PDB file of all heavy atoms in Angstrom:
ATOM      1  N   TYR A 406     -61.900 -70.829-175.682  1.00  0.00           N
ATOM      2  CA  TYR A 406     -61.939 -71.633-176.852  1.00  0.00           C
ATOM      3  C   TYR A 406     -62.208 -70.779-178.128  1.00  0.00           C
ATOM      4  O   TYR A 406     -63.154 -70.034-178.166  1.00  0.00           O
ATOM      5  CB  TYR A 406     -63.046 -72.698-176.741  1.00  0.00           C
ATOM      6  CG  TYR A 406     -63.121 -73.641-177.832  1.00  0.00           C
ATOM      7  CD1 TYR A 406     -62.314 -74.679-177.987  1.00  0.00           C
ATOM      8  CD2 TYR A 406     -64.173 -73.495-178.766  1.00  0.00           C
ATOM      9  CE1 TYR A 406     -62.416 -75.510-179.115  1.00  0.00           C
ATOM     10  CE2 TYR A 406     -64.235 -74.434-179.798  1.00  0.00           C
ATOM     11  CZ  TYR A 406     -63.325 -75.452-179.912  1.00  0.00           C
ATOM     12  OH  TYR A 406     -63.385 -76.348-181.048  1.00  0.00           O
ATOM     13  N   GLY A 407     -61.283 -70.821-179.055  1.00  0.00           N
ATOM     14  CA  GLY A 407     -61.313 -69.948-180.248  1.00  0.00           C
ATOM     15  C   GLY A 407     -61.833 -70.438-181.481  1.00  0.00           C
ATOM     16  O   GLY A 407     -62.142 -69.756-182.454  1.00  0.00           O
ATOM     17  N   GLY A 408     -62.212 -71.730-181.549  1.00  0.00           N
ATOM     18  CA  GLY A 408     -62.713 -72.322-182.633  1.00  0.00           C
ATOM     19  C   GLY A 408     -64.170 -72.033-182.857  1.00  0.00           C
ATOM     20  O   GLY A 408     -64.852 -71.401-182.019  1.00  0.00           O
ATOM     21  N   ASP A 409     -64.698 -72.425-184.010  1.00  0.00           N
ATOM     22  CA  ASP A 409     -66.239 -72.274-184.305  1.00  0.00           C
ATOM     23  C   ASP A 409     -66.873 -73.135-183.091  1.00  0.00           C
ATOM     24  O   ASP A 409     -66.433 -74.295-182.843  1.00  0.00           O
ATOM     25  CB  ASP A 409     -66.539 -72.790-185.620  1.00  0.00           C
ATOM     26  CG  ASP A 409     -68.050 -72.682-185.794  1.00  0.00           C
ATOM     27  OD1 ASP A 409     -68.427 -71.524-186.092  1.00  0.00           O
ATOM     28  OD2 ASP A 409     -68.830 -73.557-185.762  1.00  0.00           O
ATOM     29  N   SER A 410     -67.978 -72.629-182.529  1.00  0.00           N
ATOM     30  CA  SER A 410     -68.664 -73.221-181.477  1.00  0.00           C
ATOM     31  C   SER A 410     -69.195 -74.575-181.749  1.00  0.00           C
ATOM     32  O   SER A 410     -69.193 -75.646-180.973  1.00  0.00           O
ATOM     33  CB  SER A 410     -69.741 -72.382-180.890  1.00  0.00           C
ATOM     34  OG  SER A 410     -70.701 -72.083-181.828  1.00  0.00           O
ATOM     35  N   SER A 411     -69.587 -74.745-183.142  1.00  0.00           N
ATOM     36  CA  SER A 411     -70.076 -76.018-183.610  1.00  0.00           C
ATOM     37  C   SER A 411     -68.949 -77.312-183.585  1.00  0.00           C
ATOM     38  O   SER A 411     -69.299 -78.344-183.728  1.00  0.00           O
ATOM     39  CB  SER A 411     -70.774 -75.988-184.978  1.00  0.00           C
ATOM     40  OG  SER A 411     -69.773 -75.483-185.924  1.00  0.00           O
ATOM     41  N   SER A 412     -67.684 -76.748-183.663  1.00  0.00           N
ATOM     42  CA  SER A 412     -66.608 -77.741-183.741  1.00  0.00           C
ATOM     43  C   SER A 412     -66.237 -78.241-182.342  1.00  0.00           C
ATOM     44  O   SER A 412     -65.358 -79.217-182.195  1.00  0.00           O
ATOM     45  CB  SER A 412     -65.279 -76.982-184.223  1.00  0.00           C
ATOM     46  OG  SER A 412     -64.764 -76.091-183.327  1.00  0.00           O
ATOM     47  N   ALA A 413     -66.905 -77.821-181.335  1.00  0.00           N
ATOM     48  CA  ALA A 413     -66.535 -78.227-179.979  1.00  0.00           C
ATOM     49  C   ALA A 413     -67.267 -79.607-179.612  1.00  0.00           C
ATOM     50  O   ALA A 413     -66.781 -80.320-178.678  1.00  0.00           O
ATOM     51  CB  ALA A 413     -66.862 -77.148-178.933  1.00  0.00           C
ATOM     52  N   ILE A 414     -68.528 -79.839-180.184  1.00  0.00           N
ATOM     53  CA  ILE A 414     -69.234 -80.925-179.747  1.00  0.00           C
ATOM     54  C   ILE A 414     -69.625 -81.723-181.019  1.00  0.00           C
ATOM     55  O   ILE A 414     -69.735 -81.374-182.121  1.00  0.00           O
ATOM     56  CB  ILE A 414     -70.451 -80.560-178.940  1.00  0.00           C
ATOM     57  CG1 ILE A 414     -71.453 -79.694-179.761  1.00  0.00           C
ATOM     58  CG2 ILE A 414     -70.185 -79.803-177.624  1.00  0.00           C
ATOM     59  CD1 ILE A 414     -72.870 -79.405-179.113  1.00  0.00           C
ATOM     60  N   ARG A 415     -69.978 -83.132-180.666  1.00  0.00           N
ATOM     61  CA  ARG A 415     -70.452 -84.014-181.773  1.00  0.00           C
ATOM     62  C   ARG A 415     -71.661 -84.664-181.138  1.00  0.00           C
ATOM     63  O   ARG A 415     -71.843 -84.891-180.020  1.00  0.00           O
ATOM     64  CB  ARG A 415     -69.339 -85.028-182.069  1.00  0.00           C
ATOM     65  CG  ARG A 415     -68.951 -85.849-180.929  1.00  0.00           C
ATOM     66  CD  ARG A 415     -67.876 -86.882-181.352  1.00  0.00           C
ATOM     67  NE  ARG A 415     -68.477 -87.965-182.076  1.00  0.00           N
ATOM     68  CZ  ARG A 415     -68.843 -89.113-181.585  1.00  0.00           C
ATOM     69  NH1 ARG A 415     -68.706 -89.400-180.373  1.00  0.00           N
ATOM     70  NH2 ARG A 415     -69.307 -90.152-182.308  1.00  0.00           N
ATOM     71  N   VAL A 416     -72.676 -84.890-182.049  1.00  0.00           N
ATOM     72  CA  VAL A 416     -73.856 -85.661-181.684  1.00  0.00           C
ATOM     73  C   VAL A 416     -73.643 -87.116-182.008  1.00  0.00           C
ATOM     74  O   VAL A 416     -73.347 -87.488-183.163  1.00  0.00           O
ATOM     75  CB  VAL A 416     -75.137 -85.105-182.392  1.00  0.00           C
ATOM     76  CG1 VAL A 416     -76.317 -85.924-182.026  1.00  0.00           C
ATOM     77  CG2 VAL A 416     -75.292 -83.662-181.986  1.00  0.00           C
ATOM     78  N   THR A 417     -73.826 -88.091-181.137  1.00  0.00           N
ATOM     79  CA  THR A 417     -73.452 -89.492-181.370  1.00  0.00           C
ATOM     80  C   THR A 417     -74.765 -90.034-182.258  1.00  0.00           C
ATOM     81  O   THR A 417     -75.738 -89.457-182.226  1.00  0.00           O
ATOM     82  CB  THR A 417     -73.477 -90.200-180.080  1.00  0.00           C
ATOM     83  OG1 THR A 417     -74.642 -90.161-179.312  1.00  0.00           O
ATOM     84  CG2 THR A 417     -72.351 -89.485-179.116  1.00  0.00           C
ATOM     85  N   ARG A 418     -74.452 -91.262-182.543  1.00  0.00           N
ATOM     86  CA  ARG A 418     -75.480 -92.018-183.392  1.00  0.00           C
ATOM     87  C   ARG A 418     -76.530 -92.495-182.323  1.00  0.00           C
ATOM     88  O   ARG A 418     -76.289 -92.623-181.156  1.00  0.00           O
ATOM     89  CB  ARG A 418     -74.860 -93.285-184.026  1.00  0.00           C
ATOM     90  CG  ARG A 418     -75.750 -94.094-184.924  1.00  0.00           C
ATOM     91  CD  ARG A 418     -74.892 -95.095-185.719  1.00  0.00           C
ATOM     92  NE  ARG A 418     -74.198 -96.004-184.894  1.00  0.00           N
ATOM     93  CZ  ARG A 418     -73.184 -96.882-185.250  1.00  0.00           C
ATOM     94  NH1 ARG A 418     -72.676 -96.768-186.496  1.00  0.00           N
ATOM     95  NH2 ARG A 418     -72.709 -97.673-184.375  1.00  0.00           N
ATOM     96  N   ARG A 419     -77.838 -92.805-182.903  1.00  0.00           N
ATOM     97  CA  ARG A 419     -78.814 -93.145-181.991  1.00  0.00           C
ATOM     98  C   ARG A 419     -78.402 -94.672-181.303  1.00  0.00           C
ATOM     99  O   ARG A 419     -77.788 -95.561-181.983  1.00  0.00           O
ATOM    100  CB  ARG A 419     -80.087 -93.532-182.862  1.00  0.00           C
ATOM    101  CG  ARG A 419     -80.618 -92.177-183.406  1.00  0.00           C
ATOM    102  CD  ARG A 419     -82.002 -92.474-184.023  1.00  0.00           C
ATOM    103  NE  ARG A 419     -83.046 -92.811-182.907  1.00  0.00           N
ATOM    104  CZ  ARG A 419     -84.225 -93.225-183.233  1.00  0.00           C
ATOM    105  NH1 ARG A 419     -84.733 -93.263-184.512  1.00  0.00           N
ATOM    106  NH2 ARG A 419     -85.108 -93.547-182.266  1.00  0.00           N
ATOM    107  N   ARG A 420     -78.820 -94.743-180.132  1.00  0.00           N
ATOM    108  CA  ARG A 420     -78.520 -95.997-179.382  1.00  0.00           C
ATOM    109  C   ARG A 420     -79.243 -97.218-180.097  1.00  0.00           C
ATOM    110  O   ARG A 420     -78.764 -98.344-180.024  1.00  0.00           O
ATOM    111  CB  ARG A 420     -78.910 -95.772-177.918  1.00  0.00           C
ATOM    112  CG  ARG A 420     -78.085 -94.898-177.175  1.00  0.00           C
ATOM    113  CD  ARG A 420     -78.478 -94.744-175.703  1.00  0.00           C
ATOM    114  NE  ARG A 420     -77.564 -93.954-174.984  1.00  0.00           N
ATOM    115  CZ  ARG A 420     -77.480 -92.645-174.812  1.00  0.00           C
ATOM    116  NH1 ARG A 420     -78.370 -91.993-175.557  1.00  0.00           N
ATOM    117  NH2 ARG A 420     -76.572 -91.949-174.182  1.00  0.00           N
ATOM    118  N   ARG A 421     -80.488 -96.889-180.657  1.00  0.00           N
ATOM    119  CA  ARG A 421     -81.161 -97.931-181.337  1.00  0.00           C
ATOM    120  C   ARG A 421     -80.384 -98.495-182.517  1.00  0.00           C
ATOM    121  O   ARG A 421     -80.382 -99.713-182.649  1.00  0.00           O
ATOM    122  CB  ARG A 421     -82.560 -97.293-181.797  1.00  0.00           C
ATOM    123  CG  ARG A 421     -83.446 -98.349-182.327  1.00  0.00           C
ATOM    124  CD  ARG A 421     -84.786 -97.661-182.593  1.00  0.00           C
ATOM    125  NE  ARG A 421     -85.549 -97.208-181.217  1.00  0.00           N
ATOM    126  CZ  ARG A 421     -86.748 -96.807-181.266  1.00  0.00           C
ATOM    127  NH1 ARG A 421     -87.496 -96.655-182.283  1.00  0.00           N
ATOM    128  NH2 ARG A 421     -87.259 -96.448-180.044  1.00  0.00           N
ATOM    129  N   LEU A 422     -79.638 -97.668-183.189  1.00  0.00           N
ATOM    130  CA  LEU A 422     -78.911 -98.045-184.310  1.00  0.00           C
ATOM    131  C   LEU A 422     -77.646 -98.768-183.837  1.00  0.00           C
ATOM    132  O   LEU A 422     -77.213 -99.758-184.381  1.00  0.00           O
ATOM    133  CB  LEU A 422     -78.408 -96.905-185.092  1.00  0.00           C
ATOM    134  CG  LEU A 422     -79.485 -96.145-186.051  1.00  0.00           C
ATOM    135  CD1 LEU A 422     -79.041 -95.033-186.740  1.00  0.00           C
ATOM    136  CD2 LEU A 422     -79.993 -97.345-187.157  1.00  0.00           C
ATOM    137  N   ASP A 423     -77.060 -98.331-182.686  1.00  0.00           N
ATOM    138  CA  ASP A 423     -75.939 -99.011-182.043  1.00  0.00           C
ATOM    139  C   ASP A 423     -76.242-100.475-181.840  1.00  0.00           C
ATOM    140  O   ASP A 423     -75.399-101.322-182.000  1.00  0.00           O
ATOM    141  CB  ASP A 423     -75.584 -98.348-180.821  1.00  0.00           C
ATOM    142  CG  ASP A 423     -74.690 -96.987-181.009  1.00  0.00           C
ATOM    143  OD1 ASP A 423     -74.396 -96.806-182.182  1.00  0.00           O
ATOM    144  OD2 ASP A 423     -74.534 -96.279-180.066  1.00  0.00           O
ATOM    145  N   ARG A 424     -77.410-100.788-181.283  1.00  0.00           N
ATOM    146  CA  ARG A 424     -77.868-102.098-180.952  1.00  0.00           C
ATOM    147  C   ARG A 424     -77.867-102.857-182.239  1.00  0.00           C
ATOM    148  O   ARG A 424     -77.598-104.076-182.211  1.00  0.00           O
ATOM    149  CB  ARG A 424     -79.242-102.056-180.205  1.00  0.00           C
ATOM    150  CG  ARG A 424     -79.089-101.650-178.742  1.00  0.00           C
ATOM    151  CD  ARG A 424     -80.297-102.122-178.002  1.00  0.00           C
ATOM    152  NE  ARG A 424     -81.626-101.572-178.538  1.00  0.00           N
ATOM    153  CZ  ARG A 424     -81.932-100.295-178.226  1.00  0.00           C
ATOM    154  NH1 ARG A 424     -81.261 -99.513-177.327  1.00  0.00           N
ATOM    155  NH2 ARG A 424     -83.123 -99.910-178.637  1.00  0.00           N
ATOM    156  N   LYS A 425     -78.427-102.207-183.226  1.00  0.00           N
ATOM    157  CA  LYS A 425     -78.597-103.126-184.508  1.00  0.00           C
ATOM    158  C   LYS A 425     -77.326-103.431-185.110  1.00  0.00           C
ATOM    159  O   LYS A 425     -76.933-104.485-185.594  1.00  0.00           O
ATOM    160  CB  LYS A 425     -79.431-102.225-185.615  1.00  0.00           C
ATOM    161  CG  LYS A 425     -80.964-102.224-185.244  1.00  0.00           C
ATOM    162  CD  LYS A 425     -81.735-101.504-186.373  1.00  0.00           C
ATOM    163  CE  LYS A 425     -83.180-101.385-186.005  1.00  0.00           C
ATOM    164  NZ  LYS A 425     -83.919-100.788-187.060  1.00  0.00           N
TER     165      LYS A 425
END
Side-chain angles (χ1 to χ4, degrees):
Y406 183 74
D409 183 78
S410 57
S411 62
S412 69
I414 62 171
R415 60 181 285 267
V416 177
T417 65
R418 189 170 63 193
R419 296 188 66 184
R420 290 176 173 85
R421 188 172 296 187
L422 287 175
D423 283 348
R424 284 197 300 277
K425 285 183 180 178

